[in-house]
Amino acid sequence: MAYWLFKSEPDAFSIEDLKAKGAAGEPWDGVRNYQARNMIRDQMRIGDGVLFYHSNCAEPGVVGLAEVASQAYPDATAFDPQAKYCDPKSDPERPRWYLVELRYVRHLRGPIPLREIKLHADGPLADMPLVRRGNRLSVMPVTPAQWDFILGLEAAQ
DNA sequence: GCCAACGTTGGC
DNA sequence: GCCAACGTTGGC
């Protein structure tokens, strides 16, 4: 089992929104980045752990846990001319973009702000793309050691 | 709102 | 295949 971090803008879709979806979960559509696509399509498995991260907001940080709730399948919003993230270069015969569904697991005891994560940018979290300047990946891998360390920060709260 | 960093596009 | 221009992301 692997671990991931998913960014989401809380104004658009927050951890509360994911919680409200309950067991049904939420198809994580709209990812239009090849690096992220490859991870989604080739590496994600049902049951993988997800750090749910709020970006582009007053206090960016990890706010909760989710899990990968489906295998990857084509992102149909790419075929939909009405959709915001429509991509004419993707079609059902040869889909270019994929998604997995996410399911809410729990909130963290308290948010772990990016500010705090960065305190460990020279230590246990050095390899997290999150702490590197200018990183824009909306989906990124998390090592078991990083996962444990983050949850350790939560336990210390 | 600003702006640095990045990925993508498209002309050549 | 290069690279400038552009649009987007996302912290601050």
PDB file of all heavy atoms in Angstrom, chain A residues 8 10 12 37 50-52 57 59 63 69 71 84 86 89 92 103-104 107 120 122 127 131 133 154:
ATOM      1  N   SER A   8      -6.305  20.371  -2.457  1.00  0.00           N
ATOM      2  CA  SER A   8      -7.609  20.852  -2.878  1.00  0.00           C
ATOM      3  C   SER A   8      -7.802  22.262  -2.337  1.00  0.00           C
ATOM      4  O   SER A   8      -7.392  22.556  -1.220  1.00  0.00           O
ATOM      5  CB  SER A   8      -8.701  19.929  -2.341  1.00  0.00           C
ATOM      6  OG  SER A   8      -9.945  20.310  -2.884  1.00  0.00           O
ATOM      7  N   PRO A  10      -9.998  24.686  -0.618  1.00  0.00           N
ATOM      8  CA  PRO A  10     -11.195  24.502   0.216  1.00  0.00           C
ATOM      9  C   PRO A  10     -12.391  25.305  -0.273  1.00  0.00           C
ATOM     10  O   PRO A  10     -13.531  24.894  -0.045  1.00  0.00           O
ATOM     11  CB  PRO A  10     -10.750  24.957   1.607  1.00  0.00           C
ATOM     12  CG  PRO A  10      -9.461  25.677   1.408  1.00  0.00           C
ATOM     13  CD  PRO A  10      -8.856  25.179   0.145  1.00  0.00           C
ATOM     14  N   ALA A  12     -13.243  25.484  -3.256  1.00  0.00           N
ATOM     15  CA  ALA A  12     -13.836  24.681  -4.321  1.00  0.00           C
ATOM     16  C   ALA A  12     -14.318  23.338  -3.796  1.00  0.00           C
ATOM     17  O   ALA A  12     -15.429  22.880  -4.111  1.00  0.00           O
ATOM     18  CB  ALA A  12     -12.822  24.466  -5.440  1.00  0.00           C
ATOM     19  N   ARG A  37      -1.155  12.507 -13.592  1.00  0.00           N
ATOM     20  CA  ARG A  37      -1.923  11.496 -14.320  1.00  0.00           C
ATOM     21  C   ARG A  37      -1.254  10.126 -14.234  1.00  0.00           C
ATOM     22  O   ARG A  37      -1.895   9.099 -13.996  1.00  0.00           O
ATOM     23  CB  ARG A  37      -2.085  11.933 -15.782  1.00  0.00           C
ATOM     24  CG  ARG A  37      -3.031  11.114 -16.637  1.00  0.00           C
ATOM     25  CD  ARG A  37      -2.413   9.834 -17.226  1.00  0.00           C
ATOM     26  NE  ARG A  37      -1.138   9.996 -17.886  1.00  0.00           N
ATOM     27  CZ  ARG A  37      -0.976  10.248 -19.190  1.00  0.00           C
ATOM     28  NH1 ARG A  37      -2.009  10.413 -19.964  1.00  0.00           N
ATOM     29  NH2 ARG A  37       0.258  10.330 -19.701  1.00  0.00           N
ATOM     30  N   VAL A  50      -4.241   8.725   1.919  1.00  0.00           N
ATOM     31  CA  VAL A  50      -4.166  10.063   1.320  1.00  0.00           C
ATOM     32  C   VAL A  50      -4.135  11.132   2.419  1.00  0.00           C
ATOM     33  O   VAL A  50      -4.997  11.152   3.297  1.00  0.00           O
ATOM     34  CB  VAL A  50      -5.388  10.318   0.406  1.00  0.00           C
ATOM     35  CG1 VAL A  50      -5.428  11.775  -0.050  1.00  0.00           C
ATOM     36  CG2 VAL A  50      -5.354   9.373  -0.799  1.00  0.00           C
ATOM     37  N   LEU A  51      -3.126  12.000   2.340  1.00  0.00           N
ATOM     38  CA  LEU A  51      -3.118  13.227   3.131  1.00  0.00           C
ATOM     39  C   LEU A  51      -3.921  14.258   2.355  1.00  0.00           C
ATOM     40  O   LEU A  51      -3.602  14.555   1.202  1.00  0.00           O
ATOM     41  CB  LEU A  51      -1.682  13.731   3.343  1.00  0.00           C
ATOM     42  CG  LEU A  51      -0.726  12.816   4.103  1.00  0.00           C
ATOM     43  CD1 LEU A  51       0.686  13.419   4.107  1.00  0.00           C
ATOM     44  CD2 LEU A  51      -1.198  12.576   5.531  1.00  0.00           C
ATOM     45  N   PHE A  52      -4.945  14.781   2.980  1.00  0.00           N
ATOM     46  CA  PHE A  52      -5.804  15.760   2.301  1.00  0.00           C
ATOM     47  C   PHE A  52      -5.331  17.151   2.681  1.00  0.00           C
ATOM     48  O   PHE A  52      -5.322  17.530   3.848  1.00  0.00           O
ATOM     49  CB  PHE A  52      -7.266  15.545   2.692  1.00  0.00           C
ATOM     50  CG  PHE A  52      -8.244  16.191   1.757  1.00  0.00           C
ATOM     51  CD1 PHE A  52      -8.703  15.506   0.634  1.00  0.00           C
ATOM     52  CD2 PHE A  52      -8.712  17.476   1.981  1.00  0.00           C
ATOM     53  CE1 PHE A  52      -9.604  16.097  -0.240  1.00  0.00           C
ATOM     54  CE2 PHE A  52      -9.611  18.083   1.105  1.00  0.00           C
ATOM     55  CZ  PHE A  52     -10.056  17.389  -0.001  1.00  0.00           C
ATOM     56  N   CYS A  57      -5.338  29.099   0.404  1.00  0.00           N
ATOM     57  CA  CYS A  57      -6.287  29.551   1.411  1.00  0.00           C
ATOM     58  C   CYS A  57      -5.510  30.207   2.551  1.00  0.00           C
ATOM     59  O   CYS A  57      -4.283  30.282   2.504  1.00  0.00           O
ATOM     60  CB  CYS A  57      -7.105  28.371   1.926  1.00  0.00           C
ATOM     61  SG  CYS A  57      -6.102  27.014   2.564  1.00  0.00           S
ATOM     62  N   GLU A  59      -4.793  29.407   5.625  1.00  0.00           N
ATOM     63  CA  GLU A  59      -3.764  28.580   6.245  1.00  0.00           C
ATOM     64  C   GLU A  59      -3.618  27.252   5.516  1.00  0.00           C
ATOM     65  O   GLU A  59      -4.266  26.257   5.868  1.00  0.00           O
ATOM     66  CB  GLU A  59      -4.079  28.327   7.721  1.00  0.00           C
ATOM     67  CG  GLU A  59      -2.959  27.541   8.394  1.00  0.00           C
ATOM     68  CD  GLU A  59      -2.982  27.679   9.906  1.00  0.00           C
ATOM     69  OE1 GLU A  59      -3.769  26.974  10.561  1.00  0.00           O
ATOM     70  OE2 GLU A  59      -2.197  28.495  10.413  1.00  0.00           O
ATOM     71  N   VAL A  63      -5.101  18.702   6.425  1.00  0.00           N
ATOM     72  CA  VAL A  63      -6.238  18.835   7.334  1.00  0.00           C
ATOM     73  C   VAL A  63      -6.915  17.511   7.672  1.00  0.00           C
ATOM     74  O   VAL A  63      -7.695  17.449   8.620  1.00  0.00           O
ATOM     75  CB  VAL A  63      -7.301  19.804   6.765  1.00  0.00           C
ATOM     76  CG1 VAL A  63      -6.750  21.224   6.744  1.00  0.00           C
ATOM     77  CG2 VAL A  63      -7.757  19.365   5.393  1.00  0.00           C
ATOM     78  N   ALA A  69     -10.377   5.093  -3.208  1.00  0.00           N
ATOM     79  CA  ALA A  69     -11.557   4.251  -3.097  1.00  0.00           C
ATOM     80  C   ALA A  69     -11.942   3.570  -4.406  1.00  0.00           C
ATOM     81  O   ALA A  69     -12.953   2.883  -4.477  1.00  0.00           O
ATOM     82  CB  ALA A  69     -12.742   5.073  -2.580  1.00  0.00           C
ATOM     83  N   GLN A  71     -10.178   1.958  -8.412  1.00  0.00           N
ATOM     84  CA  GLN A  71      -9.096   1.905  -9.379  1.00  0.00           C
ATOM     85  C   GLN A  71      -9.199   3.133 -10.278  1.00  0.00           C
ATOM     86  O   GLN A  71     -10.248   3.787 -10.326  1.00  0.00           O
ATOM     87  CB  GLN A  71      -9.232   0.638 -10.238  1.00  0.00           C
ATOM     88  CG  GLN A  71      -9.049  -0.652  -9.471  1.00  0.00           C
ATOM     89  CD  GLN A  71      -7.600  -0.883  -9.065  1.00  0.00           C
ATOM     90  OE1 GLN A  71      -7.170  -0.455  -7.998  1.00  0.00           O
ATOM     91  NE2 GLN A  71      -6.830  -1.546  -9.902  1.00  0.00           N
ATOM     92  N   LYS A  84     -15.507  22.387 -17.226  1.00  0.00           N
ATOM     93  CA  LYS A  84     -14.453  23.381 -17.095  1.00  0.00           C
ATOM     94  C   LYS A  84     -13.118  22.845 -17.605  1.00  0.00           C
ATOM     95  O   LYS A  84     -12.327  23.559 -18.197  1.00  0.00           O
ATOM     96  CB  LYS A  84     -14.340  23.787 -15.623  1.00  0.00           C
ATOM     97  CG  LYS A  84     -13.295  24.863 -15.374  1.00  0.00           C
ATOM     98  CD  LYS A  84     -13.277  25.269 -13.895  1.00  0.00           C
ATOM     99  CE  LYS A  84     -12.164  26.284 -13.642  1.00  0.00           C
ATOM    100  NZ  LYS A  84     -11.926  26.504 -12.205  1.00  0.00           N
ATOM    101  N   CYS A  86     -12.619  20.445 -19.816  1.00  0.00           N
ATOM    102  CA  CYS A  86     -12.745  19.724 -21.075  1.00  0.00           C
ATOM    103  C   CYS A  86     -11.420  19.783 -21.844  1.00  0.00           C
ATOM    104  O   CYS A  86     -10.755  20.811 -21.889  1.00  0.00           O
ATOM    105  CB  CYS A  86     -13.842  20.352 -21.926  1.00  0.00           C
ATOM    106  SG  CYS A  86     -13.985  19.596 -23.555  1.00  0.00           S
ATOM    107  N   LYS A  89      -8.502  16.963 -26.812  1.00  0.00           N
ATOM    108  CA  LYS A  89      -7.525  15.970 -27.244  1.00  0.00           C
ATOM    109  C   LYS A  89      -7.677  14.638 -26.529  1.00  0.00           C
ATOM    110  O   LYS A  89      -6.950  13.690 -26.802  1.00  0.00           O
ATOM    111  CB  LYS A  89      -6.106  16.539 -27.049  1.00  0.00           C
ATOM    112  CG  LYS A  89      -5.753  17.559 -28.133  1.00  0.00           C
ATOM    113  CD  LYS A  89      -4.421  18.231 -27.900  1.00  0.00           C
ATOM    114  CE  LYS A  89      -4.565  19.318 -26.866  1.00  0.00           C
ATOM    115  NZ  LYS A  89      -3.425  20.250 -26.820  1.00  0.00           N
ATOM    116  N   PRO A  92     -13.051   9.163 -25.634  1.00  0.00           N
ATOM    117  CA  PRO A  92     -13.305   7.867 -24.963  1.00  0.00           C
ATOM    118  C   PRO A  92     -12.512   6.709 -25.565  1.00  0.00           C
ATOM    119  O   PRO A  92     -12.202   5.752 -24.866  1.00  0.00           O
ATOM    120  CB  PRO A  92     -14.815   7.670 -25.167  1.00  0.00           C
ATOM    121  CG  PRO A  92     -15.371   9.057 -25.325  1.00  0.00           C
ATOM    122  CD  PRO A  92     -14.287   9.826 -26.049  1.00  0.00           C
ATOM    123  N   ARG A 103     -12.210   8.707  -0.688  1.00  0.00           N
ATOM    124  CA  ARG A 103     -13.213   8.578   0.372  1.00  0.00           C
ATOM    125  C   ARG A 103     -12.644   9.165   1.663  1.00  0.00           C
ATOM    126  O   ARG A 103     -11.491   8.910   2.016  1.00  0.00           O
ATOM    127  CB  ARG A 103     -13.579   7.110   0.576  1.00  0.00           C
ATOM    128  CG  ARG A 103     -14.723   6.900   1.555  1.00  0.00           C
ATOM    129  CD  ARG A 103     -14.947   5.418   1.813  1.00  0.00           C
ATOM    130  NE  ARG A 103     -15.350   4.716   0.593  1.00  0.00           N
ATOM    131  CZ  ARG A 103     -14.815   3.562   0.193  1.00  0.00           C
ATOM    132  NH1 ARG A 103     -13.856   3.002   0.881  1.00  0.00           N
ATOM    133  NH2 ARG A 103     -15.236   2.994  -0.918  1.00  0.00           N
ATOM    134  N   TYR A 104     -13.478   9.917   2.330  1.00  0.00           N
ATOM    135  CA  TYR A 104     -13.108  10.531   3.614  1.00  0.00           C
ATOM    136  C   TYR A 104     -12.776   9.462   4.651  1.00  0.00           C
ATOM    137  O   TYR A 104     -13.481   8.460   4.758  1.00  0.00           O
ATOM    138  CB  TYR A 104     -14.276  11.381   4.105  1.00  0.00           C
ATOM    139  CG  TYR A 104     -14.090  11.976   5.485  1.00  0.00           C
ATOM    140  CD1 TYR A 104     -13.376  13.152   5.672  1.00  0.00           C
ATOM    141  CD2 TYR A 104     -14.674  11.370   6.603  1.00  0.00           C
ATOM    142  CE1 TYR A 104     -13.226  13.705   6.935  1.00  0.00           C
ATOM    143  CE2 TYR A 104     -14.525  11.917   7.869  1.00  0.00           C
ATOM    144  CZ  TYR A 104     -13.796  13.079   8.031  1.00  0.00           C
ATOM    145  OH  TYR A 104     -13.651  13.626   9.282  1.00  0.00           O
ATOM    146  N   HIS A 107     -10.727  13.653   9.989  1.00  0.00           N
ATOM    147  CA  HIS A 107      -9.966  14.891  10.157  1.00  0.00           C
ATOM    148  C   HIS A 107      -8.735  14.590  10.999  1.00  0.00           C
ATOM    149  O   HIS A 107      -8.740  13.659  11.814  1.00  0.00           O
ATOM    150  CB  HIS A 107     -10.800  15.944  10.894  1.00  0.00           C
ATOM    151  CG  HIS A 107     -11.725  16.726  10.012  1.00  0.00           C
ATOM    152  ND1 HIS A 107     -12.780  16.158   9.361  1.00  0.00           N
ATOM    153  CD2 HIS A 107     -11.741  18.051   9.693  1.00  0.00           C
ATOM    154  CE1 HIS A 107     -13.432  17.105   8.677  1.00  0.00           C
ATOM    155  NE2 HIS A 107     -12.811  18.260   8.852  1.00  0.00           N
ATOM    156  N   HIS A 120      10.509  21.178   8.913  1.00  0.00           N
ATOM    157  CA  HIS A 120      11.233  19.915   8.778  1.00  0.00           C
ATOM    158  C   HIS A 120      11.753  19.705   7.365  1.00  0.00           C
ATOM    159  O   HIS A 120      12.071  18.598   6.964  1.00  0.00           O
ATOM    160  CB  HIS A 120      10.319  18.758   9.201  1.00  0.00           C
ATOM    161  CG  HIS A 120       9.712  18.977  10.556  1.00  0.00           C
ATOM    162  ND1 HIS A 120      10.405  18.749  11.721  1.00  0.00           N
ATOM    163  CD2 HIS A 120       8.507  19.460  10.926  1.00  0.00           C
ATOM    164  CE1 HIS A 120       9.628  19.052  12.760  1.00  0.00           C
ATOM    165  NE2 HIS A 120       8.484  19.491  12.302  1.00  0.00           N
ATOM    166  N   ASP A 122      14.456  20.499   6.125  1.00  0.00           N
ATOM    167  CA  ASP A 122      15.851  20.056   6.076  1.00  0.00           C
ATOM    168  C   ASP A 122      16.031  18.736   6.803  1.00  0.00           C
ATOM    169  O   ASP A 122      17.149  18.242   6.944  1.00  0.00           O
ATOM    170  CB  ASP A 122      16.765  21.114   6.709  1.00  0.00           C
ATOM    171  CG  ASP A 122      16.780  22.389   5.887  1.00  0.00           C
ATOM    172  OD1 ASP A 122      16.704  22.293   4.645  1.00  0.00           O
ATOM    173  OD2 ASP A 122      16.838  23.480   6.484  1.00  0.00           O
ATOM    174  N   ASP A 127      12.343  15.537   1.348  1.00  0.00           N
ATOM    175  CA  ASP A 127      12.045  15.094  -0.017  1.00  0.00           C
ATOM    176  C   ASP A 127      10.597  15.304  -0.422  1.00  0.00           C
ATOM    177  O   ASP A 127      10.186  14.881  -1.502  1.00  0.00           O
ATOM    178  CB  ASP A 127      12.418  13.614  -0.181  1.00  0.00           C
ATOM    179  CG  ASP A 127      13.922  13.417  -0.057  1.00  0.00           C
ATOM    180  OD1 ASP A 127      14.674  14.340  -0.436  1.00  0.00           O
ATOM    181  OD2 ASP A 127      14.345  12.354   0.436  1.00  0.00           O
ATOM    182  N   VAL A 131       7.494  20.991   0.121  1.00  0.00           N
ATOM    183  CA  VAL A 131       8.345  21.986   0.768  1.00  0.00           C
ATOM    184  C   VAL A 131       9.318  22.625  -0.218  1.00  0.00           C
ATOM    185  O   VAL A 131      10.086  23.500   0.157  1.00  0.00           O
ATOM    186  CB  VAL A 131       9.137  21.380   1.958  1.00  0.00           C
ATOM    187  CG1 VAL A 131       8.171  20.786   2.970  1.00  0.00           C
ATOM    188  CG2 VAL A 131      10.148  20.349   1.504  1.00  0.00           C
ATOM    189  N   ARG A 133      10.164  25.033  -3.208  1.00  0.00           N
ATOM    190  CA  ARG A 133       9.626  26.264  -3.759  1.00  0.00           C
ATOM    191  C   ARG A 133       9.077  26.061  -5.165  1.00  0.00           C
ATOM    192  O   ARG A 133       9.679  25.395  -5.978  1.00  0.00           O
ATOM    193  CB  ARG A 133      10.751  27.280  -3.828  1.00  0.00           C
ATOM    194  CG  ARG A 133      10.485  28.571  -3.152  1.00  0.00           C
ATOM    195  CD  ARG A 133      11.765  29.361  -3.108  1.00  0.00           C
ATOM    196  NE  ARG A 133      11.751  30.415  -4.118  1.00  0.00           N
ATOM    197  CZ  ARG A 133      11.069  31.542  -3.981  1.00  0.00           C
ATOM    198  NH1 ARG A 133      10.375  31.751  -2.908  1.00  0.00           N
ATOM    199  NH2 ARG A 133      11.103  32.457  -4.915  1.00  0.00           N
ATOM    200  N   GLU A 154       0.869  15.185  14.282  1.00  0.00           N
ATOM    201  CA  GLU A 154      -0.505  15.274  14.775  1.00  0.00           C
ATOM    202  C   GLU A 154      -0.583  14.796  16.225  1.00  0.00           C
ATOM    203  O   GLU A 154      -1.191  15.444  17.080  1.00  0.00           O
ATOM    204  CB  GLU A 154      -1.439  14.420  13.916  1.00  0.00           C
ATOM    205  CG  GLU A 154      -2.879  14.527  14.375  1.00  0.00           C
ATOM    206  CD  GLU A 154      -3.756  13.371  13.918  1.00  0.00           C
ATOM    207  OE1 GLU A 154      -3.230  12.305  13.560  1.00  0.00           O
ATOM    208  OE2 GLU A 154      -4.982  13.554  13.930  1.00  0.00           O
TER     209      GLU A 154
END
